[in-house]
Amino acid sequence: MTTGEAQVYDLRYQRYSGPREGRGRSRRAVFENGVRAVLGVGRGGRAKILPALLFISAMTPALVFVVILSLAGDAASGFIPDAGDYYNIVRIVLILFAAIMAPELLIPDRRENLLPLYFVRPLTPVDYLTMRFLAFFVITLALVYSGQIVLQAGLILTSDAPLDYLRDNWADGPRILLVGAAIALFASVAPLAVAAFTTRRAYAAVFVIAAWMLLSIAADTALVIENSGVPDQVALIHAGQITESINDLVFDRTMEGPSGEAIARLHAAWPVAAYVLWTGIPALLLWSRYRRLRL
Amino acid sequence: MPPLLEARSLTKRYGGVVALDDVTFDVQEGVTGLLGPNGAGKSTAMKLFLGLIRPTSGAASILGEEPYRSIDVRSRIGYMPENESLPKSVAASEFLMHMAQVSGLPPAHARTRAADVLRHVGLHEERYRPMGEYSTGMKQRVKLAQAIVHDPVLVLLDEPTAGLDPEGRQEMLRLIRRTAGAFGISVMLSTHLMGDVERTADAVIVLESGVLSHQDAVAKLTEETETLLVEVADRREEFAAALAAKGAQAQDDGQTFMLENAGEDDYDRIRDAAVESGARIRRLSPERRALTDIFRSAPQ
């Protein structure tokens, strides 16, 4: 048996004399906490299941295409989507992800009365909202880009001449970044705005999904009825078609479906203006809601 | 020493309802009780000092600055709200670490502070459990911990003993005294319970219907009066007769003799009456005021 001298440590309360980093640290903490909240980090196992499933869902199409490409080679090339197709394929997963996960960022803090604890610290409501939005935007962006990165990597590596492929398709890089950012912004703002007006996560998610589906169905239905006299601008209420039209505009693709064809007949400024309204109005509602919040 | 909190002609109206009406007071270092019945304007005053709401007129300042204009001053104050305000699915250690960072502390320091403060409020063993599993007393202690995790100069506590059983209440009051004494953090404590103020506070501010009713040191408000209280163990009637025969004006409520405006001679009269009647004196002391008297004497 070995023996040693025992030591008594003084555990009395100590004043804090370390650095205080002020508002910048506060903002960063809210941002990081937002990322953790959406991904379920620091919470039980159940909180991680849904974000993991949605991430896997967004990645799966890209992985499947890459596996097919690697196995079938050129024979599958006609079947494999290009950069311009991919965002339209994963659009539904993105909407589901945004509708389900956006409420996680804003609703628990309001429902559990945490906002006064934030706003008595060096943080304004606008700081809080901006950081929560950025946290969600960054995660959505990662989700949007991750599938594209896997697909593009697969396309490059399975081509006969990767360098030639890169030279021929170099313009896809900035297009992927631009459209991805536009889609992530679109998918982030409206669900967050809805989440700002309810304390029930399920209500917010159902509202976003239902509104998205109903508006899409309403626009397509109105446009397929012959001689209905409905102007092509009605297609602009088709939320899903707005991001698709931005994607198709940037990638110079032909839009399909009743709403897509109607938007294609309009001047390019129409879908761009609709995109600005679809993101700008929810953003204004969100900002106004938190600015006027009574604690 | 400049005051920690200053209210100058502070008025807050919600539509036609006046929550605070032209209130002026100062709060110095130590523990100050903000006392008043429900609806007196205590929570409104706290929210004004914290910058959560703006005054209709007048000014509220904290540490010499207006809290809704100066963001930086907020890193030196803490707040414990009255209602439940903890994320149920998050562990106390994680929550405190986050709140310390939101107060401006770097992550490594925030982690150490969270552990230290949880130890000091007696929750070190429970720190990794989700707070939804905590008892009311434990939740109150986490709320206090998050208010002091960044080591503020001043902490504002809104009804900190609300919902606690007698034992939990004693523990919370002891922690508040410790926060001010051992931790050196000044406290403003809002409560409708006079006992909480009497046991913890150095000074008291009394609000009634949005108006300042009293402000003074607790010791002064509970100081000795000139009324002398006498209790005897036996021979009450003989003692009362002897006292009257010596010219002492005593009121008898059946248990205690009260001599108002008692002077030095009255002590001699009591002693002599006890000797003559053979009564044994159980208690002889000046009467102390209680904070309840403030409310009795306050204008309605």
PDB file of all heavy atoms in Angstrom, chain A residues 20-31 121-128 130-131, chain B residues 68-75 101-105:
ATOM      1  N   ARG A  20     -13.782  39.511 -20.317  1.00  0.00           N
ATOM      2  CA  ARG A  20     -15.196  39.647 -20.663  1.00  0.00           C
ATOM      3  C   ARG A  20     -15.233  40.164 -22.098  1.00  0.00           C
ATOM      4  O   ARG A  20     -14.718  41.237 -22.374  1.00  0.00           O
ATOM      5  CB  ARG A  20     -15.908  40.633 -19.727  1.00  0.00           C
ATOM      6  CG  ARG A  20     -16.050  40.118 -18.300  1.00  0.00           C
ATOM      7  CD  ARG A  20     -16.768  41.113 -17.418  1.00  0.00           C
ATOM      8  NE  ARG A  20     -16.722  40.727 -16.027  1.00  0.00           N
ATOM      9  CZ  ARG A  20     -17.649  39.992 -15.409  1.00  0.00           C
ATOM     10  NH1 ARG A  20     -18.702  39.588 -16.078  1.00  0.00           N
ATOM     11  NH2 ARG A  20     -17.530  39.685 -14.142  1.00  0.00           N
ATOM     12  N   GLU A  21     -15.811  39.377 -22.983  1.00  0.00           N
ATOM     13  CA  GLU A  21     -15.721  39.687 -24.417  1.00  0.00           C
ATOM     14  C   GLU A  21     -16.959  40.377 -24.980  1.00  0.00           C
ATOM     15  O   GLU A  21     -17.059  40.564 -26.196  1.00  0.00           O
ATOM     16  CB  GLU A  21     -15.400  38.404 -25.186  1.00  0.00           C
ATOM     17  CG  GLU A  21     -14.045  37.839 -24.776  1.00  0.00           C
ATOM     18  CD  GLU A  21     -13.713  36.506 -25.424  1.00  0.00           C
ATOM     19  OE1 GLU A  21     -14.595  35.902 -26.058  1.00  0.00           O
ATOM     20  OE2 GLU A  21     -12.566  36.071 -25.295  1.00  0.00           O
ATOM     21  N   GLY A  22     -17.901  40.709 -24.098  1.00  0.00           N
ATOM     22  CA  GLY A  22     -19.015  41.573 -24.487  1.00  0.00           C
ATOM     23  C   GLY A  22     -19.969  41.007 -25.520  1.00  0.00           C
ATOM     24  O   GLY A  22     -20.172  39.800 -25.630  1.00  0.00           O
ATOM     25  N   ARG A  23     -20.496  41.940 -26.309  1.00  0.00           N
ATOM     26  CA  ARG A  23     -21.582  41.631 -27.231  1.00  0.00           C
ATOM     27  C   ARG A  23     -21.186  40.624 -28.317  1.00  0.00           C
ATOM     28  O   ARG A  23     -21.993  39.802 -28.741  1.00  0.00           O
ATOM     29  CB  ARG A  23     -22.021  42.943 -27.869  1.00  0.00           C
ATOM     30  CG  ARG A  23     -23.376  42.924 -28.493  1.00  0.00           C
ATOM     31  CD  ARG A  23     -23.720  44.341 -28.873  1.00  0.00           C
ATOM     32  NE  ARG A  23     -24.932  44.422 -29.633  1.00  0.00           N
ATOM     33  CZ  ARG A  23     -25.401  45.559 -30.141  1.00  0.00           C
ATOM     34  NH1 ARG A  23     -24.742  46.691 -29.935  1.00  0.00           N
ATOM     35  NH2 ARG A  23     -26.514  45.576 -30.829  1.00  0.00           N
ATOM     36  N   GLY A  24     -19.918  40.700 -28.747  1.00  0.00           N
ATOM     37  CA  GLY A  24     -19.437  39.784 -29.789  1.00  0.00           C
ATOM     38  C   GLY A  24     -19.529  38.338 -29.321  1.00  0.00           C
ATOM     39  O   GLY A  24     -19.996  37.461 -30.047  1.00  0.00           O
ATOM     40  N   ARG A  25     -19.097  38.086 -28.081  1.00  0.00           N
ATOM     41  CA  ARG A  25     -19.155  36.737 -27.530  1.00  0.00           C
ATOM     42  C   ARG A  25     -20.620  36.301 -27.356  1.00  0.00           C
ATOM     43  O   ARG A  25     -20.966  35.154 -27.612  1.00  0.00           O
ATOM     44  CB  ARG A  25     -18.401  36.688 -26.194  1.00  0.00           C
ATOM     45  CG  ARG A  25     -18.570  35.398 -25.415  1.00  0.00           C
ATOM     46  CD  ARG A  25     -18.124  34.160 -26.159  1.00  0.00           C
ATOM     47  NE  ARG A  25     -16.711  34.189 -26.500  1.00  0.00           N
ATOM     48  CZ  ARG A  25     -16.127  33.305 -27.312  1.00  0.00           C
ATOM     49  NH1 ARG A  25     -16.843  32.336 -27.861  1.00  0.00           N
ATOM     50  NH2 ARG A  25     -14.839  33.394 -27.575  1.00  0.00           N
ATOM     51  N   SER A  26     -21.465  37.248 -26.920  1.00  0.00           N
ATOM     52  CA  SER A  26     -22.888  36.934 -26.745  1.00  0.00           C
ATOM     53  C   SER A  26     -23.495  36.455 -28.058  1.00  0.00           C
ATOM     54  O   SER A  26     -24.193  35.444 -28.102  1.00  0.00           O
ATOM     55  CB  SER A  26     -23.671  38.174 -26.308  1.00  0.00           C
ATOM     56  OG  SER A  26     -23.250  38.591 -25.067  1.00  0.00           O
ATOM     57  N   ARG A  27     -23.224  37.201 -29.106  1.00  0.00           N
ATOM     58  CA  ARG A  27     -23.790  36.846 -30.416  1.00  0.00           C
ATOM     59  C   ARG A  27     -23.294  35.468 -30.851  1.00  0.00           C
ATOM     60  O   ARG A  27     -24.075  34.649 -31.324  1.00  0.00           O
ATOM     61  CB  ARG A  27     -23.356  37.885 -31.456  1.00  0.00           C
ATOM     62  CG  ARG A  27     -24.051  39.219 -31.302  1.00  0.00           C
ATOM     63  CD  ARG A  27     -23.372  40.199 -32.217  1.00  0.00           C
ATOM     64  NE  ARG A  27     -24.037  41.474 -32.293  1.00  0.00           N
ATOM     65  CZ  ARG A  27     -23.452  42.571 -32.727  1.00  0.00           C
ATOM     66  NH1 ARG A  27     -22.207  42.551 -33.114  1.00  0.00           N
ATOM     67  NH2 ARG A  27     -24.111  43.713 -32.773  1.00  0.00           N
ATOM     68  N   ARG A  28     -21.988  35.252 -30.666  1.00  0.00           N
ATOM     69  CA  ARG A  28     -21.405  33.986 -31.091  1.00  0.00           C
ATOM     70  C   ARG A  28     -22.017  32.821 -30.302  1.00  0.00           C
ATOM     71  O   ARG A  28     -22.290  31.760 -30.860  1.00  0.00           O
ATOM     72  CB  ARG A  28     -19.895  34.051 -30.864  1.00  0.00           C
ATOM     73  CG  ARG A  28     -19.150  33.114 -31.732  1.00  0.00           C
ATOM     74  CD  ARG A  28     -17.669  33.359 -31.642  1.00  0.00           C
ATOM     75  NE  ARG A  28     -16.995  32.074 -31.728  1.00  0.00           N
ATOM     76  CZ  ARG A  28     -15.705  31.919 -31.626  1.00  0.00           C
ATOM     77  NH1 ARG A  28     -14.935  32.944 -31.398  1.00  0.00           N
ATOM     78  NH2 ARG A  28     -15.162  30.741 -31.730  1.00  0.00           N
ATOM     79  N   ALA A  29     -22.233  33.058 -29.010  1.00  0.00           N
ATOM     80  CA  ALA A  29     -22.816  32.003 -28.165  1.00  0.00           C
ATOM     81  C   ALA A  29     -24.225  31.653 -28.639  1.00  0.00           C
ATOM     82  O   ALA A  29     -24.592  30.475 -28.678  1.00  0.00           O
ATOM     83  CB  ALA A  29     -22.848  32.467 -26.710  1.00  0.00           C
ATOM     84  N   VAL A  30     -25.001  32.666 -29.016  1.00  0.00           N
ATOM     85  CA  VAL A  30     -26.368  32.405 -29.490  1.00  0.00           C
ATOM     86  C   VAL A  30     -26.329  31.663 -30.827  1.00  0.00           C
ATOM     87  O   VAL A  30     -27.119  30.745 -31.063  1.00  0.00           O
ATOM     88  CB  VAL A  30     -27.166  33.729 -29.603  1.00  0.00           C
ATOM     89  CG1 VAL A  30     -28.530  33.493 -30.240  1.00  0.00           C
ATOM     90  CG2 VAL A  30     -27.343  34.354 -28.226  1.00  0.00           C
ATOM     91  N   PHE A  31     -25.385  32.028 -31.666  1.00  0.00           N
ATOM     92  CA  PHE A  31     -25.232  31.342 -32.960  1.00  0.00           C
ATOM     93  C   PHE A  31     -24.881  29.861 -32.734  1.00  0.00           C
ATOM     94  O   PHE A  31     -25.527  28.965 -33.286  1.00  0.00           O
ATOM     95  CB  PHE A  31     -24.141  32.034 -33.785  1.00  0.00           C
ATOM     96  CG  PHE A  31     -23.752  31.287 -35.032  1.00  0.00           C
ATOM     97  CD1 PHE A  31     -24.531  31.367 -36.174  1.00  0.00           C
ATOM     98  CD2 PHE A  31     -22.615  30.493 -35.060  1.00  0.00           C
ATOM     99  CE1 PHE A  31     -24.183  30.669 -37.324  1.00  0.00           C
ATOM    100  CE2 PHE A  31     -22.262  29.789 -36.196  1.00  0.00           C
ATOM    101  CZ  PHE A  31     -23.044  29.884 -37.337  1.00  0.00           C
ATOM    102  N   ARG A 121     -28.870  40.343 -20.862  1.00  0.00           N
ATOM    103  CA  ARG A 121     -27.431  40.202 -21.102  1.00  0.00           C
ATOM    104  C   ARG A 121     -27.038  41.099 -22.280  1.00  0.00           C
ATOM    105  O   ARG A 121     -27.918  41.716 -22.888  1.00  0.00           O
ATOM    106  CB  ARG A 121     -27.118  38.724 -21.361  1.00  0.00           C
ATOM    107  CG  ARG A 121     -27.295  37.892 -20.078  1.00  0.00           C
ATOM    108  CD  ARG A 121     -27.028  36.424 -20.282  1.00  0.00           C
ATOM    109  NE  ARG A 121     -26.617  35.783 -19.045  1.00  0.00           N
ATOM    110  CZ  ARG A 121     -27.457  35.319 -18.111  1.00  0.00           C
ATOM    111  NH1 ARG A 121     -28.757  35.416 -18.274  1.00  0.00           N
ATOM    112  NH2 ARG A 121     -27.000  34.764 -17.005  1.00  0.00           N
ATOM    113  N   PRO A 122     -25.735  41.202 -22.585  1.00  0.00           N
ATOM    114  CA  PRO A 122     -25.337  42.149 -23.641  1.00  0.00           C
ATOM    115  C   PRO A 122     -25.759  41.703 -25.042  1.00  0.00           C
ATOM    116  O   PRO A 122     -24.926  41.312 -25.872  1.00  0.00           O
ATOM    117  CB  PRO A 122     -23.816  42.240 -23.509  1.00  0.00           C
ATOM    118  CG  PRO A 122     -23.401  41.129 -22.656  1.00  0.00           C
ATOM    119  CD  PRO A 122     -24.565  40.605 -21.913  1.00  0.00           C
ATOM    120  N   LEU A 123     -27.045  41.712 -25.260  1.00  0.00           N
ATOM    121  CA  LEU A 123     -27.610  41.181 -26.500  1.00  0.00           C
ATOM    122  C   LEU A 123     -28.949  41.870 -26.740  1.00  0.00           C
ATOM    123  O   LEU A 123     -29.769  41.952 -25.830  1.00  0.00           O
ATOM    124  CB  LEU A 123     -27.839  39.675 -26.295  1.00  0.00           C
ATOM    125  CG  LEU A 123     -28.110  38.820 -27.506  1.00  0.00           C
ATOM    126  CD1 LEU A 123     -26.801  38.519 -28.232  1.00  0.00           C
ATOM    127  CD2 LEU A 123     -28.732  37.504 -27.070  1.00  0.00           C
ATOM    128  N   THR A 124     -29.175  42.347 -27.952  1.00  0.00           N
ATOM    129  CA  THR A 124     -30.474  42.954 -28.258  1.00  0.00           C
ATOM    130  C   THR A 124     -31.363  41.901 -28.931  1.00  0.00           C
ATOM    131  O   THR A 124     -30.851  40.895 -29.434  1.00  0.00           O
ATOM    132  CB  THR A 124     -30.316  44.143 -29.217  1.00  0.00           C
ATOM    133  OG1 THR A 124     -29.832  43.628 -30.468  1.00  0.00           O
ATOM    134  CG2 THR A 124     -29.350  45.182 -28.689  1.00  0.00           C
ATOM    135  N   PRO A 125     -32.669  42.128 -28.988  1.00  0.00           N
ATOM    136  CA  PRO A 125     -33.538  41.180 -29.700  1.00  0.00           C
ATOM    137  C   PRO A 125     -33.113  40.991 -31.158  1.00  0.00           C
ATOM    138  O   PRO A 125     -33.201  39.885 -31.690  1.00  0.00           O
ATOM    139  CB  PRO A 125     -34.922  41.830 -29.597  1.00  0.00           C
ATOM    140  CG  PRO A 125     -34.864  42.613 -28.338  1.00  0.00           C
ATOM    141  CD  PRO A 125     -33.463  43.137 -28.259  1.00  0.00           C
ATOM    142  N   VAL A 126     -32.637  42.066 -31.783  1.00  0.00           N
ATOM    143  CA  VAL A 126     -32.204  41.954 -33.186  1.00  0.00           C
ATOM    144  C   VAL A 126     -30.931  41.095 -33.273  1.00  0.00           C
ATOM    145  O   VAL A 126     -30.790  40.269 -34.186  1.00  0.00           O
ATOM    146  CB  VAL A 126     -31.994  43.348 -33.812  1.00  0.00           C
ATOM    147  CG1 VAL A 126     -31.403  43.243 -35.210  1.00  0.00           C
ATOM    148  CG2 VAL A 126     -33.319  44.099 -33.858  1.00  0.00           C
ATOM    149  N   ASP A 127     -30.012  41.258 -32.307  1.00  0.00           N
ATOM    150  CA  ASP A 127     -28.818  40.392 -32.258  1.00  0.00           C
ATOM    151  C   ASP A 127     -29.241  38.931 -32.163  1.00  0.00           C
ATOM    152  O   ASP A 127     -28.729  38.066 -32.892  1.00  0.00           O
ATOM    153  CB  ASP A 127     -27.964  40.685 -31.011  1.00  0.00           C
ATOM    154  CG  ASP A 127     -27.246  42.015 -31.084  1.00  0.00           C
ATOM    155  OD1 ASP A 127     -27.054  42.518 -32.192  1.00  0.00           O
ATOM    156  OD2 ASP A 127     -26.885  42.548 -30.012  1.00  0.00           O
ATOM    157  N   TYR A 128     -30.147  38.679 -31.229  1.00  0.00           N
ATOM    158  CA  TYR A 128     -30.607  37.308 -30.988  1.00  0.00           C
ATOM    159  C   TYR A 128     -31.199  36.705 -32.261  1.00  0.00           C
ATOM    160  O   TYR A 128     -30.837  35.607 -32.677  1.00  0.00           O
ATOM    161  CB  TYR A 128     -31.649  37.339 -29.857  1.00  0.00           C
ATOM    162  CG  TYR A 128     -32.409  36.051 -29.672  1.00  0.00           C
ATOM    163  CD1 TYR A 128     -31.917  35.031 -28.865  1.00  0.00           C
ATOM    164  CD2 TYR A 128     -33.639  35.861 -30.298  1.00  0.00           C
ATOM    165  CE1 TYR A 128     -32.622  33.848 -28.703  1.00  0.00           C
ATOM    166  CE2 TYR A 128     -34.348  34.684 -30.142  1.00  0.00           C
ATOM    167  CZ  TYR A 128     -33.837  33.679 -29.342  1.00  0.00           C
ATOM    168  OH  TYR A 128     -34.545  32.511 -29.196  1.00  0.00           O
ATOM    169  N   THR A 130     -30.887  37.692 -35.384  1.00  0.00           N
ATOM    170  CA  THR A 130     -29.912  37.568 -36.475  1.00  0.00           C
ATOM    171  C   THR A 130     -29.060  36.310 -36.304  1.00  0.00           C
ATOM    172  O   THR A 130     -28.831  35.568 -37.263  1.00  0.00           O
ATOM    173  CB  THR A 130     -28.993  38.814 -36.507  1.00  0.00           C
ATOM    174  OG1 THR A 130     -29.819  39.966 -36.540  1.00  0.00           O
ATOM    175  CG2 THR A 130     -28.080  38.810 -37.709  1.00  0.00           C
ATOM    176  N   MET A 131     -28.627  36.062 -35.066  1.00  0.00           N
ATOM    177  CA  MET A 131     -27.767  34.900 -34.827  1.00  0.00           C
ATOM    178  C   MET A 131     -28.542  33.585 -34.968  1.00  0.00           C
ATOM    179  O   MET A 131     -28.020  32.599 -35.489  1.00  0.00           O
ATOM    180  CB  MET A 131     -27.141  34.994 -33.424  1.00  0.00           C
ATOM    181  CG  MET A 131     -26.132  36.090 -33.296  1.00  0.00           C
ATOM    182  SD  MET A 131     -24.775  35.880 -34.495  1.00  0.00           S
ATOM    183  CE  MET A 131     -24.901  37.390 -35.407  1.00  0.00           C
TER     184      MET A 131
ATOM    185  N   TYR B  68     -31.392  50.369 -21.264  1.00  0.00           N
ATOM    186  CA  TYR B  68     -31.880  50.143 -22.627  1.00  0.00           C
ATOM    187  C   TYR B  68     -31.047  50.899 -23.647  1.00  0.00           C
ATOM    188  O   TYR B  68     -31.235  50.727 -24.845  1.00  0.00           O
ATOM    189  CB  TYR B  68     -33.370  50.500 -22.756  1.00  0.00           C
ATOM    190  CG  TYR B  68     -33.762  51.778 -22.081  1.00  0.00           C
ATOM    191  CD1 TYR B  68     -33.686  52.991 -22.743  1.00  0.00           C
ATOM    192  CD2 TYR B  68     -34.193  51.770 -20.761  1.00  0.00           C
ATOM    193  CE1 TYR B  68     -34.024  54.168 -22.101  1.00  0.00           C
ATOM    194  CE2 TYR B  68     -34.536  52.942 -20.116  1.00  0.00           C
ATOM    195  CZ  TYR B  68     -34.451  54.146 -20.796  1.00  0.00           C
ATOM    196  OH  TYR B  68     -34.764  55.301 -20.157  1.00  0.00           O
ATOM    197  N   ARG B  69     -30.122  51.752 -23.162  1.00  0.00           N
ATOM    198  CA  ARG B  69     -29.211  52.429 -24.101  1.00  0.00           C
ATOM    199  C   ARG B  69     -27.837  51.776 -24.068  1.00  0.00           C
ATOM    200  O   ARG B  69     -27.213  51.607 -25.096  1.00  0.00           O
ATOM    201  CB  ARG B  69     -29.093  53.909 -23.723  1.00  0.00           C
ATOM    202  CG  ARG B  69     -30.389  54.663 -23.949  1.00  0.00           C
ATOM    203  CD  ARG B  69     -30.129  56.092 -24.412  1.00  0.00           C
ATOM    204  NE  ARG B  69     -31.367  56.732 -24.836  1.00  0.00           N
ATOM    205  CZ  ARG B  69     -32.102  57.500 -24.056  1.00  0.00           C
ATOM    206  NH1 ARG B  69     -31.727  57.748 -22.824  1.00  0.00           N
ATOM    207  NH2 ARG B  69     -33.217  58.043 -24.507  1.00  0.00           N
ATOM    208  N   SER B  70     -27.367  51.424 -22.873  1.00  0.00           N
ATOM    209  CA  SER B  70     -26.033  50.831 -22.756  1.00  0.00           C
ATOM    210  C   SER B  70     -26.136  49.311 -22.708  1.00  0.00           C
ATOM    211  O   SER B  70     -26.628  48.741 -21.737  1.00  0.00           O
ATOM    212  CB  SER B  70     -25.350  51.342 -21.492  1.00  0.00           C
ATOM    213  OG  SER B  70     -24.192  50.589 -21.243  1.00  0.00           O
ATOM    214  N   ILE B  71     -25.669  48.663 -23.763  1.00  0.00           N
ATOM    215  CA  ILE B  71     -25.708  47.200 -23.820  1.00  0.00           C
ATOM    216  C   ILE B  71     -24.629  46.631 -22.888  1.00  0.00           C
ATOM    217  O   ILE B  71     -24.825  45.613 -22.229  1.00  0.00           O
ATOM    218  CB  ILE B  71     -25.459  46.720 -25.273  1.00  0.00           C
ATOM    219  CG1 ILE B  71     -26.539  47.270 -26.212  1.00  0.00           C
ATOM    220  CG2 ILE B  71     -25.394  45.209 -25.361  1.00  0.00           C
ATOM    221  CD1 ILE B  71     -27.912  46.732 -26.006  1.00  0.00           C
ATOM    222  N   ASP B  72     -23.476  47.325 -22.813  1.00  0.00           N
ATOM    223  CA  ASP B  72     -22.333  46.782 -22.075  1.00  0.00           C
ATOM    224  C   ASP B  72     -22.595  46.632 -20.580  1.00  0.00           C
ATOM    225  O   ASP B  72     -22.073  45.719 -19.947  1.00  0.00           O
ATOM    226  CB  ASP B  72     -21.095  47.658 -22.305  1.00  0.00           C
ATOM    227  CG  ASP B  72     -20.613  47.560 -23.743  1.00  0.00           C
ATOM    228  OD1 ASP B  72     -20.933  46.530 -24.378  1.00  0.00           O
ATOM    229  OD2 ASP B  72     -19.962  48.491 -24.221  1.00  0.00           O
ATOM    230  N   VAL B  73     -23.414  47.537 -20.043  1.00  0.00           N
ATOM    231  CA  VAL B  73     -23.657  47.485 -18.594  1.00  0.00           C
ATOM    232  C   VAL B  73     -24.319  46.165 -18.203  1.00  0.00           C
ATOM    233  O   VAL B  73     -24.185  45.679 -17.076  1.00  0.00           O
ATOM    234  CB  VAL B  73     -24.514  48.699 -18.132  1.00  0.00           C
ATOM    235  CG1 VAL B  73     -25.978  48.543 -18.527  1.00  0.00           C
ATOM    236  CG2 VAL B  73     -24.410  48.881 -16.622  1.00  0.00           C
ATOM    237  N   ARG B  74     -24.997  45.551 -19.165  1.00  0.00           N
ATOM    238  CA  ARG B  74     -25.732  44.326 -18.858  1.00  0.00           C
ATOM    239  C   ARG B  74     -24.810  43.140 -18.558  1.00  0.00           C
ATOM    240  O   ARG B  74     -25.258  42.140 -18.018  1.00  0.00           O
ATOM    241  CB  ARG B  74     -26.648  43.958 -20.026  1.00  0.00           C
ATOM    242  CG  ARG B  74     -27.689  45.011 -20.281  1.00  0.00           C
ATOM    243  CD  ARG B  74     -28.624  44.526 -21.334  1.00  0.00           C
ATOM    244  NE  ARG B  74     -29.371  45.606 -21.950  1.00  0.00           N
ATOM    245  CZ  ARG B  74     -30.038  45.472 -23.076  1.00  0.00           C
ATOM    246  NH1 ARG B  74     -30.051  44.332 -23.697  1.00  0.00           N
ATOM    247  NH2 ARG B  74     -30.707  46.482 -23.577  1.00  0.00           N
ATOM    248  N   SER B  75     -23.522  43.250 -18.949  1.00  0.00           N
ATOM    249  CA  SER B  75     -22.618  42.143 -18.615  1.00  0.00           C
ATOM    250  C   SER B  75     -22.232  42.173 -17.142  1.00  0.00           C
ATOM    251  O   SER B  75     -21.600  41.250 -16.649  1.00  0.00           O
ATOM    252  CB  SER B  75     -21.373  42.183 -19.500  1.00  0.00           C
ATOM    253  OG  SER B  75     -20.726  43.411 -19.336  1.00  0.00           O
ATOM    254  N   GLN B 101     -21.530  32.377 -21.402  1.00  0.00           N
ATOM    255  CA  GLN B 101     -20.998  32.863 -22.683  1.00  0.00           C
ATOM    256  C   GLN B 101     -21.849  34.002 -23.235  1.00  0.00           C
ATOM    257  O   GLN B 101     -21.315  34.959 -23.794  1.00  0.00           O
ATOM    258  CB  GLN B 101     -20.943  31.722 -23.696  1.00  0.00           C
ATOM    259  CG  GLN B 101     -19.838  30.716 -23.394  1.00  0.00           C
ATOM    260  CD  GLN B 101     -19.745  29.660 -24.474  1.00  0.00           C
ATOM    261  OE1 GLN B 101     -19.427  29.933 -25.615  1.00  0.00           O
ATOM    262  NE2 GLN B 101     -20.022  28.427 -24.099  1.00  0.00           N
ATOM    263  N   VAL B 102     -23.166  33.890 -23.063  1.00  0.00           N
ATOM    264  CA  VAL B 102     -24.033  34.983 -23.540  1.00  0.00           C
ATOM    265  C   VAL B 102     -23.746  36.263 -22.729  1.00  0.00           C
ATOM    266  O   VAL B 102     -23.949  37.367 -23.219  1.00  0.00           O
ATOM    267  CB  VAL B 102     -25.532  34.590 -23.457  1.00  0.00           C
ATOM    268  CG1 VAL B 102     -26.422  35.722 -23.924  1.00  0.00           C
ATOM    269  CG2 VAL B 102     -25.801  33.363 -24.302  1.00  0.00           C
ATOM    270  N   SER B 103     -23.243  36.085 -21.512  1.00  0.00           N
ATOM    271  CA  SER B 103     -22.854  37.253 -20.718  1.00  0.00           C
ATOM    272  C   SER B 103     -21.469  37.764 -21.107  1.00  0.00           C
ATOM    273  O   SER B 103     -20.989  38.744 -20.532  1.00  0.00           O
ATOM    274  CB  SER B 103     -22.855  36.905 -19.232  1.00  0.00           C
ATOM    275  OG  SER B 103     -24.160  36.595 -18.820  1.00  0.00           O
ATOM    276  N   GLY B 104     -20.812  37.084 -22.034  1.00  0.00           N
ATOM    277  CA  GLY B 104     -19.539  37.590 -22.554  1.00  0.00           C
ATOM    278  C   GLY B 104     -18.305  36.815 -22.127  1.00  0.00           C
ATOM    279  O   GLY B 104     -17.184  37.191 -22.468  1.00  0.00           O
ATOM    280  N   LEU B 105     -18.473  35.725 -21.368  1.00  0.00           N
ATOM    281  CA  LEU B 105     -17.298  34.971 -20.917  1.00  0.00           C
ATOM    282  C   LEU B 105     -16.837  34.003 -22.017  1.00  0.00           C
ATOM    283  O   LEU B 105     -17.667  33.359 -22.662  1.00  0.00           O
ATOM    284  CB  LEU B 105     -17.625  34.167 -19.649  1.00  0.00           C
ATOM    285  CG  LEU B 105     -17.436  34.874 -18.309  1.00  0.00           C
ATOM    286  CD1 LEU B 105     -18.265  36.127 -18.204  1.00  0.00           C
ATOM    287  CD2 LEU B 105     -17.733  33.942 -17.160  1.00  0.00           C
TER     288      LEU B 105
END
